[in-house]
Amino acid sequence: RSISQATKRAVQHFASCFNSPNDRGIVFVNTASDGVDVVDIIERRFGIRPGFFCGRAASGKLDESERVTDGDRLRLLEEWSAGRSGPLIVATHALGAGYHETRNRATYFMRTPSSIVEFQQAAGRGSRDGRPGTAVIYIIEDGKALPPVPADDVGGVGAIRALVKNKTACIRQALTAFADGKVNAIKCRSRTSLEWNNPCSRCAFAMGGGAGD
């Protein structure tokens, strides 16, 4: 799907699943240009322009009128938290680690995240109050080539690509295998895991309980 289709799907999902005025969501993008496109699409849906949170490198690639300063970043987060810029904020992975907003219910990824580490950090921005939440990766098919997997792949670039490509692989098993080693990986459908955890979307689908994408 295209970036436009993926963004519309994310907006529809958020609107249908999270209807409290206090619910929040983050739409993660990999590039500044994607961020600008996603902001425009969300604005057309909600009638209010969301903030675009990005670091200095991505900001430098924006038009001068759209660049984000350190002061802007704080303001964007405050406006999103208060709901003044709508329930969603668009962000590069500059927002992927260290930010704590307890009402954030969902994280959406426009394109495959750069690595498993990046995905786990960014997905961890959701459900920080312990309530259920959602993390969704949208695969964008627009012909843009991915950078090569580094020789010292400590962040899990190859691992996240393999997980996305294999649409039946258990997500929990892939994430725990990377973090804790294959010997300690946990499958959703093991007896211990089912006793303490909700299954990932793929395993839930395999067990007849939900969507598998």
Side-chain angles (χ1 to χ4, degrees):
R1 56 175 67 95
S2 68
I3 196 81
S4 176
Q5 291 171 324
T7 304
K8 290 175 182 176
R9 285 281 298 274
V11 168
Q12 289 168 357
H13 179 274
F14 185 86
S16 63
C17 294
F18 306 105
N19 50 24
S20 167
N22 292 320
D23 289 337
R24 300 288 181 268
I26 304 174
V27 182
F28 283 106
V29 296
N30 289 353
T31 65
S33 59
D34 278 353
V36 172
D37 291 341
V38 170
V39 164
D40 289 342
I41 296 165
I42 294 175
E43 181 181 22
R44 289 195 291 271
R45 168 61 178 81
F46 284 109
I48 186 169
R49 191 169 183 82
F52 179 29
F53 185 101
C54 61
R56 293 179 182 177
S59 177
K61 297 178 181 179
L62 297 172
D63 290 340
E64 189 170 350
S65 62
E66 298 177 317
R67 290 177 185 169
V68 181
T69 66
D70 290 343
D72 290 333
R73 293 182 189 94
L74 179 60
R75 173 183 55 79
L76 290 170
L77 293 176
E78 290 176 343
E79 289 180 348
W80 171 60
S81 181
R84 293 193 296 271
S85 58
L88 298 174
I89 189 170
V90 180
T92 64
H93 292 276
L95 190 58
Y99 182 66
H100 186 79
E101 168 54 73
T102 57
R103 296 172 298 171
N104 185 42
R105 303 258 65 81
T107 53
Y108 301 101
F109 298 83
M110 302 293 111
R111 301 185 190 277
T112 302
S114 298
S115 68
I116 272 198
V117 169
E118 186 177 272
F119 171 69
Q120 289 177 312
Q121 288 179 331
R125 296 313 97 206
S127 298
R128 301 194 62 81
D129 58 358
R131 293 173 55 205
T134 298
V136 183
I137 297 173
Y138 292 97
I139 302 172
I140 309 299
E141 298 174 343
D142 57 3
K144 292 185 178 180
L146 294 172
V149 177
D152 57 338
D153 188 14
V154 296
V157 176
I160 191 68
R161 294 179 189 177
L163 174 61
V164 169
K165 185 176 182 180
N166 184 351
K167 297 184 179 180
T168 61
C170 171
I171 297 171
R172 175 173 281 107
Q173 183 179 13
L175 297 181
T176 55
F178 177 81
D180 303 320
K182 292 182 179 180
V183 168
N184 298 310
I186 300 172
K187 297 180 181 179
C188 284
R189 284 177 275 182
S190 68
R191 185 176 67 179
T192 302
S193 183
L194 288 174
E195 182 178 356
W196 296 103
N197 301 302
N198 291 323
C200 72
S201 58
R202 289 171 175 174
C203 290
F205 179 77
M207 292 185 289
D213 54 341

